[in-house]
Amino acid sequence: MAEAQRQRSPMSYAVVNPATGETIKTFPTITDTELTAAIASADEAHRTWSKSSSVEERAALIRRVSELHTERRQELAEIIVREMGKPIEQALGEVDFAADIFGYYADHAADFLKDEPITLLAGEGSAVVRRSSLGVLLGVMPWNFPYYQVARFAGPNLIIGNTIVLKHAEQCPESAAAIQQIFLDAGFPEGAYVNIYATHDQIATVIADPRVQGVSLTGSERAGAAVAEVAGRHLKKVVLELGGSDPFILLSTDDLDTAVQNAVDARLDNNGQSCNAAKRFIVADEYYEPFLEKFTAKLAEIETGDPTSADTALGPLSSLKAAEGLDAQVKRAVEHGATLVHGGARDGAFFQTTVLTDVTPENPASKEEFFGPVAQVYRAKDEAEAVRLANDIPFGLGSYVYTTDEQQAQRVADGIEAGMVFVNVVLADGAELPFGGVKRSGTGREMGRLGADEFVNKKLIRIG
């Protein structure tokens, strides 16, 4: 998801195990001739297969994709442990979630795509909105959730009838190939889903191609701006899911220990490398000291370990470069006045759980995303200050609110500038729930009904 393009070699696709530093396998980038053929294949599949197949037939194929994810879950999970260091139990969970997403869209496709009647205000006859495909879509996907990200983009769009050209992260070439193979084995024709090991310059070429109708990118702000700039010049629809520095606001609780555990879980998911992980913990004054003590103690209990072990809760960051970048961020935060309460140590790509306090608005850390197991804890004197601190960030992806007051929950949820608010719950994403943000966190939505409504022609048919 976020910061997906931050650590990469621009022209090299390779599996580099972050736990060991070993380069396991390299993959050549696609040639310009092969790229032209890939786009042509996707366009041909849209003009033939998409136009001649029914929603039900395409949904059946996506259902088989879901089943193959389940059948191959161990193999698929082991691939991404090697590629980006996700602990094996979390990797298995990601594969299962991807299978659920494909299954969800297979189950609901007919309902999402049925004609939508419009009641006429004047005149005789009828009017409906009919949803149909746009054509070839480009997906630019990140390393932090190699299967889940593809599922939420490709699942609904293939059922709609769009065809997919997919450029995965340079450090995920093996999972990228495995995904393409699943679509072929499920029965999709050549061209319906095409994996490309493309360079950045080649991506600009794909976006400019008149046969390509839209692009969806999950990644860094810089990558999003670059893609949106090219897409804008060529008048292409864009969906962007970018960075996040989500607030976790604790205003009141009947069970502080559970709230603390939820805060830990929300910060450390995917080794802390999730765009919608809780990253800034804003705590009401009366709970601040006990929360900080318990939260720090819980984080300190969690040590890094071998991501292939089922007992490991915290593996390495996705690459040595990612860990070095996080290390520099923490040091810069401390240099600008933050207090290092716990952690801050790095061993290769492994990074210790870390807690920072006393982060002032002048500190660069207050406006940055920390992509790793680093938490910032803030004190708020009241509800209004908590909301102000939550919104004092360029991002607006997700947010978390803990309170025993239902009316307060509604007020704070309304006041937070974010695309998502979760009240008294964490890690509650679901295939049926729309995902996306505002401000510098991006545009558009994925998942749920809204995710199936981004790249469609909502055609009005008015009959007199």
Side-chain angles (χ1 to χ4, degrees):
M1 290 147 60
E3 297 304 315
Q5 316 301 327
R6 179 188 289 167
Q7 51 276 45
R8 62 187 184 180
S9 299
M11 306 289 282
S12 174
Y13 284 79
V15 178
V16 180
N17 188 333
T20 65
E22 176 191 6
T23 299
I24 297 171
K25 189 175 182 181
T26 60
F27 294 73
T29 54
I30 195 169
T31 66
D32 289 344
T33 299
E34 291 168 336
L35 181 64
T36 299
I39 299 171
S41 176
D43 181 58
E44 175 69 13
H46 180 256
R47 289 187 293 105
T48 56
W49 165 75
S50 293
K51 298 298 186 183
S52 62
S53 59
S54 66
V55 173
E56 290 74 20
E57 289 168 337
R58 297 192 294 272
L61 292 174
I62 285 294
R63 191 177 306 284
R64 182 58 185 149
V65 168
S66 172
E67 293 167 354
L68 287 173
H69 274 72
T70 300
E71 292 171 17
R72 300 175 186 179
R73 67 190 295 268
Q74 187 68 36
E75 171 194 348
L76 294 172
E78 289 173 358
I79 289 173
I80 60 174
V81 173
R82 291 192 297 271
E83 287 181 331
M84 48 74 65
K86 191 188 297 283
I88 183 64
E89 290 301 306
Q90 294 183 35
L92 288 164
E94 181 185 337
V95 178
D96 293 342
F97 193 17
D100 289 345
I101 292 168
F102 286 119
Y104 170 81
Y105 282 113
D107 289 341
H108 294 276
D111 180 56
F112 289 169
L113 294 174
K114 68 182 179 184
D115 285 355
E116 181 182 333
I118 298 174
T119 301
L120 296 173
L121 296 179
E124 300 296 324
S126 64
V128 299
V129 172
R130 180 165 299 163
R131 287 165 168 79
S132 58
S133 61
L134 294 180
V136 181
L137 303 178
L138 169 66
V140 182
M141 295 293 122
W143 50 262
N144 56 342
F145 290 93
Y147 301 119
Y148 156 70
Q149 295 283 169
V150 172
R152 67 190 202 177
F153 169 60
N157 281 303
L158 282 167
I159 290 177
I160 290 164
N162 295 314
T163 55
I164 305 296
V165 174
L166 200 292
K167 182 251 182 261
H168 221 314
E170 283 90 333
Q171 69 192 81
C172 295
E174 191 176 0
S175 55
I179 295 167
Q180 177 175 259
Q181 193 60 51
I182 282 177
F183 281 104
L184 292 172
D185 292 347
F188 279 94
E190 293 279 351
Y193 180 98
V194 185
N195 175 60
I196 56 171
Y197 298 130
T199 66
H200 303 161
D201 289 343
Q202 287 175 321
I203 288 303
T205 299
V206 177
I207 297 172
D209 193 291
R211 293 167 293 186
V212 175
Q213 301 302 309
V215 56
S216 177
L217 175 139
T218 297
S220 68
E221 293 172 82
R222 186 172 66 176
V227 163
E229 181 181 357
V230 177
R233 286 201 303 269
H234 296 281
L235 302 178
K236 304 295 175 70
K237 170 71 183 286
V238 179
V239 169
L240 301 173
E241 196 268 279
L242 309 176
S245 189
D246 292 6
F248 181 109
I249 302 173
L250 174 61
L251 296 171
S252 62
T253 179
D254 292 330
D255 187 349
L256 183 59
D257 288 338
T258 296
V260 167
Q261 185 60 59
N262 287 353
V264 170
D265 293 343
R267 176 65 286 232
L268 296 187
D269 181 43
N270 198 38
N271 299 333
Q273 300 166 118
S274 176
C275 54
N276 65 321
K279 300 185 175 89
R280 297 176 298 128
F281 298 83
I282 301 167
V283 185
D285 189 70
E286 64 179 294
Y287 294 97
Y288 179 82
E289 295 294 347
F291 175 88
L292 179 61
E293 180 181 353
K294 290 175 179 287
F295 182 61
T296 303
K298 278 283 187 185
L299 284 174
E301 292 174 2
I302 300 170
E303 298 181 350
T304 58
D306 177 3
T308 65
S309 169
D311 297 326
T312 295
L314 183 64
L317 296 193
S318 61
S319 68
L320 177 61
K321 186 174 182 181
E324 290 172 342
L326 186 64
D327 190 24
Q329 272 187 294
V330 171
K331 285 182 169 62
R332 185 169 64 250
V334 173
E335 288 169 0
H336 283 79
T339 299
L340 181 62
V341 177
H342 166 73
R346 179 180 69 84
D347 181 9
F350 291 89
F351 204 93
Q352 186 183 16
T353 56
T354 300
V355 178
L356 297 171
T357 60
D358 304 316
V359 178
T360 65
E362 297 74 32
N363 194 321
S366 70
K367 304 296 189 291
E368 295 174 345
E369 177 181 28
F370 283 68
F371 222 51
V374 178
Q376 301 178 37
V377 184
Y378 296 78
R379 186 195 298 263
K381 68 176 184 291
D382 55 24
E383 174 188 318
E385 185 177 34
V387 173
R388 182 186 64 76
L389 287 168
N391 291 338
D392 189 22
I393 195 81
F395 304 106
L397 188 56
S399 57
Y400 305 86
V401 179
Y402 274 66
T403 177
T404 56
D405 182 335
E406 291 184 12
Q407 291 185 336
Q408 183 179 58
Q410 294 293 339
R411 285 197 308 272
V412 175
D414 286 344
I416 291 175
E417 297 166 354
M420 301 173 286
V421 182
F422 293 88
V423 178
N424 295 331
V425 65
V426 299
L427 304 180
D429 297 28
E432 76 282 13
L433 302 177
F435 188 106
V438 296
K439 302 193 321 192
R440 295 186 69 87
S441 288
T443 60
R445 292 295 182 269
E446 294 185 296
M447 305 246 278
R449 183 176 194 123
L450 299 185
D453 220 25
E454 288 286 355
F455 294 102
V456 294
N457 178 9
K458 304 175 184 74
K459 183 187 294 182
L460 167 68
I461 301 177
R462 169 71 165 93
I463 300 174

